[in-house]
């Protein structure tokens, strides 16, 4: 798999990309871009739509700019390594969308917007879906995932696939976030020796580096919010069932969800609306009926903190005094905007973590085997057992860490077992009824906020990831929504604040997130530093 490379030798990734001086071969066609200056850094969906309406540049021109920015930054320059493959049909899709605009048809705010997908999300095109695994390096799904169908119908351009922690970071012990057998190691765009965090590492790094407008990640526990926080962007981990998981390589039917990642709350909200929908192939989405909105930007309110009762989750406190200091400033701002705050020490009983891990193992085996079956008779591997065997004979897959979680999953019974059913019921009771729901109802809270994580650690293939703190678990295990927004910096490294609450409260969380974002403006474009 090769990305499309620019013939530029000048590193235009610093600020502006000059078009018209080069061409790029995609899908057997050579497309010349017009001599236009496009400020790609920090461009928003609204900026792009205004430019389209004014005729400042075309969808093809913008798409070409992003293709060549990926070549300049991801493949060369800093060698961020966040994108596994660029869609060879991207410019052809852009041409069709340009023709629609010329005919007076716009599909809405996502029309002509380049999107990068985490490479565990199926597309039925010339790009394989690999989960970062060499076992699926040439695996071409038989149809688009439901969320990709939704994005295409909304007019989005699937620009490419992002690197990820292989098998969404649930393969083995002492792993390095952002490493996969197919894609290698993704870097953090703020400091290149630092880690991008979480399994949606490439999604977070690419959108932060302005390689696309919106990226899509997936989360089981922390894999949207952690890379969003570590890469200085906004990430929305929605209520499980708001976005379909069909055609998404699974870990946990109970906890998995895709979600948008973007540089602003508004753009993330637009991306969220483009992906939702009831999908008969994913029974969880049936619960979203009458709980969704066509437009989530209607809830963005700069005064959205006024009158809110906000829980301050102190669980992560004490692990990193520098993060504690930044979080204290965030809490002070929240209070200054007219919110009432209540400290919360605990959210769910401790044993819920072990129960969640067991559920993940049960559902991982069941979900992967079903996914492999969806690939048809030519599937490269057909069972978890086959995958384990492939990894053992491959000369790359096990060079840095093992596959213990795959092996543990393989030993589990099926989902009709009493052990699974009882464990699931207890996990949901403790995480929901005796967890987030109980805490929020007892204190009459609108939302809870917490530090999302620690500053990005130095990437380490020997010892693996060095997590110091995190706050993703309460919402992840309950299947409830969580939004992280930039909270500030520790030195050159961004840190985020998570805002989470009860099921289907995305509108309320977006209101709070937007108010915090607009009042603080912490997002800064990365500098691709070689060291701190």
């Amino acid at each position: 798999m090769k990305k499309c490379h620019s013939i530029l030798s000048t590193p235009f990734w610093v600020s502006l990309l000059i078009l018209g001086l080069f061409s790029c071969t995609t899908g057997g066609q050579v497309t010349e871009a017009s001599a236009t200056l496009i400020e790609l850094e920090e461009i928003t969906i609204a900026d792009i739509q205004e430019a389209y309406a004014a005729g400042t540049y075309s969808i093809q021109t913008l798409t070409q700019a992003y293709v060549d920015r990926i070549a300049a930054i991801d493949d060369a320059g800093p060698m961020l390594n966040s994108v596994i493959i660029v869609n060879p049909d991207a410019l052809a899709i852009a041409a069709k969308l340009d023709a629609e605009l010329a005919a007076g048809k716009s599909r809405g705010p996502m029309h002509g917007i380049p999107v990068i997908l985490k490479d565990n999300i199926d597309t039925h095109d010339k790009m394989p879906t690999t989960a970062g695994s060499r076992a699926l390096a040439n695996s071409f799904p038989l149809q688009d995932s439901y969320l990709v169908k939704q994005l295409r119908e909304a007019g989005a351009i699937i620009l490419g696939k992002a690197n990820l922690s292989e098998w969404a970071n649930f393969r083995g012990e002492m792993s390095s976030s952002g490493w996969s057998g197919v894609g290698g190691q993704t870097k953090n765009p703020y400091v290149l020796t630092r880690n991008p965090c979480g399994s949606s590492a490439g999604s977070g790094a690419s959108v932060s580096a302005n390689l696309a407008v919106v990226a899509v990640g997936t989360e089981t526990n922390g894999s949207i919010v952690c890379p969003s926080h570590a890469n200085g962007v906004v990430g929305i981990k929605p209520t499980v069932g708001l976005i379909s998981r069909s055609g998404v390589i699974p870990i946990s039917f109970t906890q998995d969800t895709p979600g948008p990642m973007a540089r602003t709350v508004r753009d993330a909200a637009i991306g969220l609306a483009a992906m939702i929908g009831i999908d008969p192939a994913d029974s969880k989405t049936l619960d979203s009926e009458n709980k969704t909105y066509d437009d989530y930007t209607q809830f963005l309110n700069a005064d959205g903190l006024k009158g809110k009762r906000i829980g301050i989750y102190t669980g992560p406190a004490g692990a990193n005094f520098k993060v504690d200091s930044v979080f204290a400033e965030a809490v002070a701002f929240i209070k200054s905007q007219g919110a009432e705050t209540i400290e919360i020490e605990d959210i769910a009983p401790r044993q819920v973590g072990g129960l969640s891990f067991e559920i993940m193992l049960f559902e991982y085996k069941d979900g992967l085997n079903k996914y492999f079956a969806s690939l048809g008779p030519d599937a490269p591997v057909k069972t978890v057992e086959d995958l384990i065997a492939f990894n053992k004979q491959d000369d790359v897959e096990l060079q840095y860490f093992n596959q213990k979680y795959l092996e543990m999953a393989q030993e589990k019974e099926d989902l009709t077992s009493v052990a699974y059913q009882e464990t699931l019921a207890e996990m949901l009771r403790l995480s929901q009824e005796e967890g987030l729901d109980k805490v929020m109802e007892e204190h009459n809270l609108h939302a809870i906020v917490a530090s999302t994580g620690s500053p990005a650690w130095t990437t380490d293939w020997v010892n693996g990831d060095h997590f110091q703190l995190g706050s993703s678990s309460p919402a992840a295990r309950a299947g409830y929504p969580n939004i992280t927004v930039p909270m500030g910096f520790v030195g050159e490294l961004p840190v985020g604040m998570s805002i989470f609450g009860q099921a289907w409260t995305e509108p309320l969380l977006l209101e709070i997130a937007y108010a915090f974002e607009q009042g603080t403006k912490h997002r800064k474009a990365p500098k691709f530093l070689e060291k701190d």
Side-chain angles (χ1 to χ4, degrees):
M1 293 179 290
K2 292 183 179 291
K3 301 175 193 174
C4 178
H5 291 265
S6 167
I7 63 172
L8 275 177
S9 58
T10 307
F12 287 122
W13 53 268
V14 176
S15 58
L16 299 180
L17 187 64
I18 302 178
L19 302 178
L21 304 180
F22 52 87
S23 64
C24 177
T25 303
T26 58
Q29 298 176 332
V30 178
T31 302
E32 298 288 345
S34 61
T36 307
L37 286 173
I38 302 178
E39 294 188 32
L40 290 180
E41 286 200 359
E42 306 304 282
I43 197 169
T44 67
I45 290 174
D47 295 334
I48 291 169
Q49 295 301 348
E50 288 175 10
Y52 289 163
T56 306
Y57 49 76
S58 68
I59 299 172
Q60 292 177 82
T61 301
L62 182 73
T63 302
Q64 180 72 67
Y66 276 113
V67 167
D68 285 284
R69 186 174 172 89
I70 290 169
I73 291 178
D74 216 60
D75 302 353
M79 294 187 69
L80 191 59
N81 206 38
S82 65
V83 179
I84 283 181
I85 187 170
V86 170
N87 187 354
D89 293 327
L91 292 173
I93 294 168
K96 292 179 181 178
L97 292 169
D98 271 328
E100 289 183 12
L101 283 185
K105 177 186 176 182
S106 171
R107 303 190 191 193
M110 288 296 291
H111 190 108
I113 301 300
V115 174
I116 287 177
L117 303 174
K118 184 176 180 178
D119 195 23
N120 62 347
I121 299 170
D122 284 356
T123 56
H124 182 54
D125 50 23
K126 296 173 185 174
M127 296 185 290
T129 300
T130 72
S133 170
R134 288 158 61 89
L136 298 184
N138 294 299
S139 178
F140 293 86
L142 302 181
Q143 61 183 357
D144 280 340
S145 58
Y146 183 87
L147 77 85
V148 167
K149 291 177 184 176
Q150 296 293 86
L151 285 170
R152 293 195 202 275
E153 288 176 8
I157 297 169
I158 307 304
L159 184 61
K161 297 285 191 78
N163 197 22
L164 69 161
S165 308
E166 188 171 317
W167 296 109
N169 224 3
F170 200 59
R171 194 194 78 173
E173 301 166 303
M174 300 174 69
S175 62
S176 174
S177 288
W179 182 91
S180 74
V182 171
Q185 179 67 55
T186 296
K187 302 174 185 178
N188 188 301
Y190 287 88
V191 179
L192 298 172
T193 57
R194 299 279 175 166
N195 194 271
C197 191
S199 73
S200 303
S203 298
S206 64
V207 79
S208 180
N210 289 280
L211 305 184
V213 187
V214 175
V216 181
T218 65
E219 175 162 329
T220 307
N221 189 340
S223 286
I224 288 174
V225 296
C226 189
S228 295
H229 129 89
N231 293 283
V233 300
V234 176
I236 301 177
K237 197 288 289 189
T239 306
V240 173
L242 191 64
I243 301 175
S244 170
R245 290 87 49 81
S246 66
V248 178
I249 299 176
I251 293 176
S252 169
F253 180 78
T254 299
Q255 292 182 206
D256 288 352
T257 180
M261 303 162 76
R263 292 181 293 274
T264 69
V265 173
R266 182 175 295 276
D267 284 358
I270 292 170
L272 177 67
M275 290 188 283
I276 63 174
I278 294 176
D279 176 13
D282 182 355
S283 60
K284 286 282 188 182
T285 64
L286 301 177
D287 296 333
S288 71
E289 188 171 8
N290 300 320
K291 299 183 181 75
T292 65
Y293 300 87
D294 293 333
D295 178 14
Y296 282 89
T297 65
Q298 65 182 298
F299 303 108
L300 305 185
N301 176 11
D303 295 321
L305 281 162
K306 187 175 183 180
K308 298 294 191 298
R309 283 177 60 86
I310 306 292
I312 308 300
Y313 180 36
T314 61
N320 186 308
F321 75 90
K322 297 177 182 180
V323 175
D324 291 347
S325 178
V326 178
F327 184 57
E329 293 178 7
V331 172
F333 174 79
I334 288 169
K335 291 178 179 178
S336 76
Q337 299 302 296
E340 182 181 359
T341 61
I342 302 93
E343 287 197 357
I344 306 294
E345 292 185 15
D346 297 303
I347 294 176
R350 290 185 180 274
Q351 63 265 39
V352 73
L355 297 171
S356 173
F357 183 72
E358 286 297 306
I359 292 303
M360 289 165 66
L361 292 173
F362 273 108
E363 294 180 345
Y364 196 31
K365 177 183 179 181
D366 178 79
L368 281 184
N369 285 338
K370 288 177 178 174
Y371 176 78
F372 296 147
S374 78
L375 299 175
D378 296 326
V381 290
K382 294 179 169 57
T383 65
V384 171
E385 186 175 16
D386 289 348
L387 175 60
I388 291 169
F390 175 92
N391 289 337
K392 286 180 178 178
Q393 60 82 36
D394 188 79
D395 60 357
V396 171
E397 288 293 352
L398 301 182
Q399 64 179 324
Y400 297 123
F401 58 103
N402 63 25
Q403 55 180 337
K404 184 175 180 178
Y405 303 146
L406 282 173
E407 292 166 348
M408 291 173 71
Q410 175 60 22
E411 297 304 313
K412 290 297 182 184
E413 303 169 84
D414 64 34
L415 302 191
T416 64
S417 71
V418 173
Y420 168 73
Q421 296 292 339
E422 290 182 347
T423 303
L424 177 61
E426 183 70 352
M427 194 275 284
L428 292 176
R429 183 182 71 83
L430 293 178
S431 63
Q432 297 176 352
E433 181 183 336
E434 296 297 321
L436 259 176
D437 290 332
K438 180 179 180 180
V439 168
M440 296 196 67
E441 289 164 9
E442 282 185 352
H443 296 281
N444 192 28
L445 301 176
H446 292 95
I448 296 174
V449 302
S451 302
T452 304
S454 58
W457 56 86
T458 301
T459 293
D460 185 349
W461 293 345
V462 175
N463 297 301
D465 290 335
H466 301 283
F467 294 101
Q468 284 184 309
L469 63 96
S471 59
S472 63
S473 291
R477 292 164 181 162
Y480 290 176
N482 189 358
I483 300 175
T484 186
V485 294
M487 179 174 74
F489 282 78
V490 173
E492 296 291 342
L493 299 169
V495 290
M497 183 181 77
S498 285
I499 307 158
F500 52 94
Q502 292 177 284
W504 315 112
T505 59
E506 283 83 0
L508 181 58
L509 302 186
L510 282 166
E511 181 184 18
I512 294 168
Y514 184 75
F516 182 82
E517 174 197 55
Q518 293 300 299
T520 58
K521 298 286 187 178
H522 287 304
R523 161 70 188 176
K524 296 177 184 177
K527 300 176 183 177
F528 308 98
L529 300 175
E530 294 290 342
K531 59 183 180 178
D532 294 277

